Amino acid sequence: MKIAVLSRNPRLYSTRRLVEAGQQRGHEVVVIDTLRAYMNIASHKPQIHYRGKPLEGFDAVIPRIGASVTFYGCAVLRQFEMQGVFPLNESVAIARSRDKLRALQLLSRRGVGLPVTGFAHSPDDIPDLIQMVNGAPLVIKVLEGTQGIGVVLCETEKAAESVIEAFMGLKQDIMVQEYIKEAGGADIRCFVVGDKVIASMKRQAKPGEFRSNLHRGGTASLIKITPEERMTAIRAAKVMGLNVAGVDILRSNHGPLVMEVNSSPGLAGIEETTGKDVAGLIIEYLEKNGGPHLTRTKGKG
Ligand code: ADP
């Protein structure tokens, strides 16, 4: 196969590993800087140009689209889909997962367990918004935050009111979520490929911190997940329409709760922790399921 990896930086661990795994399995792999691709959308034959030349002959495309380039990245991916190139994850599914409110609404509609979550643009009644998620302690999240930045734990309702007011004053969209105390500062990353969880790890926050992000000093370790957690992760990826996803789960005393479904999950932490060849399994998925004109939506919808 000839595989394109859409990535801004060929030196990133995940990008490097995907290139390496593809080449090891006998494929031609080309890294394309997402923001340097340009397109002709008026033509009957949708084209993508890169560094002065048309990009042609690809069988599959692996999108590694960062949160800050979602809009343009999805447009480039859509253009590949219109050409019939098989995407590891479809543009429509990536756009769905990047809109945190839409993602939670879709998951809740299909009965996937979630922390009780409220959101509002500018409520006249902040105390009522707080009561909707069962009062303090609660977690407030800036919608476009990543790596745990913009995630605040408020122990009291008074603190929550002030923080909500502050974010609203800054015109930041936020969501308000029940705090899952019994998770003990840990979450579980389930790496889904196709209809399987192929690797999972537990991330534990450093002492005195509730956010388990590795960027916030959290540590990762191996974990055996329960059949219910496995099923929840697979279901969450399926609801989003993602073939490959990193599903983050909190262990609550009423079962697994999905916090987020990530459409470009990083490979470094999960490969280092589990010792599994996750990149190889992703390429294997493309070998088994890819092919010309097999994309479900062709960028529609
Ligand atoms: P980001 O997308 O920025 O990583 P998350 O929503 O994943 O933000 O939150 C960061 C971390 O904070 C999570 O990995 C988890 O450890 C903790 N956390 C988030 N939401 C809750 C919650 N409702 N209850 C308990 N812990 C939470």
Side-chain angles (χ1 to χ4, degrees):
M1 282 196 294
K2 186 171 167 188
I3 302 171
V5 179
L6 282 182
S7 166
R8 294 238 51 214
N9 184 353
R11 288 180 297 280
L12 292 177
Y13 179 93
S14 303
T15 309
R16 275 194 291 116
R17 283 287 299 125
L18 287 162
V19 171
E20 198 176 273
Q23 287 170 345
Q24 261 168 15
R25 297 177 72 97
H27 305 295
E28 184 189 343
V29 189
V30 184
V31 178
I32 291 161
D33 179 349
T34 321
L35 296 189
R36 298 288 299 276
Y38 46 103
M39 300 160 283
N40 172 359
I41 32 183
S43 141
H44 294 297
K45 192 166 165 272
Q47 281 190 325
I48 307 170
H49 277 232
Y50 190 62
R51 300 187 198 279
K53 291 200 187 85
L55 285 177
E56 276 163 356
F58 285 96
D59 302 291
V61 50
I62 302 180
R64 300 285 317 170
I65 296 171
S68 59
V69 298
T70 300
F71 186 68
Y72 193 75
C74 281
V76 176
L77 182 58
R78 211 154 38 232
Q79 193 82 353
F80 275 102
E81 291 166 4
M82 284 160 64
Q83 293 181 343
V85 180
F86 184 80
L88 180 69
N89 278 330
E90 295 197 5
S91 55
V92 175
I94 295 173
R96 241 181 236 142
S97 73
R98 288 287 161 85
D99 179 339
K100 290 194 186 187
L101 299 183
R102 184 177 180 198
L104 291 178
Q105 286 171 322
L106 287 168
L107 292 167
S108 78
R109 197 173 71 176
R110 306 294 286 275
V112 175
L114 303 170
V116 178
T117 306
F119 51 90
H121 183 62
S122 47
D124 306 326
D125 198 350
I126 292 175
D128 188 42
L129 176 67
I130 293 173
Q131 287 319 312
M132 272 173 67
V133 299
N134 305 327
L138 56 80
V139 176
I140 298 170
K141 298 184 184 182
V142 174
L143 280 197
E144 60 272 27
T146 56
Q147 304 178 347
I149 295 168
V151 180
V152 185
L153 172 61
C154 295
E155 311 267 4
T156 67
E157 287 177 24
K158 269 279 148 272
E161 278 180 34
S162 318
V163 175
I164 294 173
E165 272 168 18
F167 278 135
M168 286 184 170
L170 294 168
K171 308 236 173 301
Q172 278 286 351
D173 281 322
I174 51 158
M175 61 189 185
V176 181
Q177 202 164 64
E178 78 175 305
Y179 174 51
I180 309 301
K181 188 164 191 286
E182 62 272 24
D187 73 350
I188 300 170
R189 159 60 60 97
C190 296
F191 205 107
V192 178
V193 176
D195 53 5
K196 287 198 186 81
V197 175
I198 53 117
S200 51
M201 64 177 173
K202 175 176 158 174
R203 294 178 301 200
Q204 178 70 54
K206 65 181 179 191
E209 172 63 70
F210 78 104
R211 297 167 299 177
S212 61
N213 305 71
L214 303 183
H215 288 96
R216 305 265 75 74
T219 47
S221 59
L222 273 176
I223 191 171
K224 192 166 165 37
I225 59 170
T226 66
E228 195 190 2
E229 287 161 352
R230 188 173 292 277
M231 217 180 65
T232 302
I234 294 166
R235 190 113 196 286
K238 206 173 197 77
V239 169
M240 303 310 301
L242 293 167
N243 299 318
V244 168
V247 182
D248 294 338
I249 286 179
L250 289 170
R251 277 187 170 166
S252 83
N253 50 24
H254 49 284
L257 303 179
V258 172
M259 222 171 12
E260 194 172 18
V261 184
N262 198 315
S263 55
S264 285
L267 301 186
I270 196 85
E271 286 199 336
E272 278 160 19
T273 307
T274 64
K276 292 209 171 129
D277 177 11
V278 175
L281 290 166
I282 289 174
I283 303 294
E284 188 185 299
Y285 177 86
L286 288 179
E287 290 166 359
K288 288 191 178 146
N289 297 278
H293 302 286
L294 285 180
T295 131
R296 267 178 297 187
T297 57
K298 296 193 177 61
K300 284 185 286 193

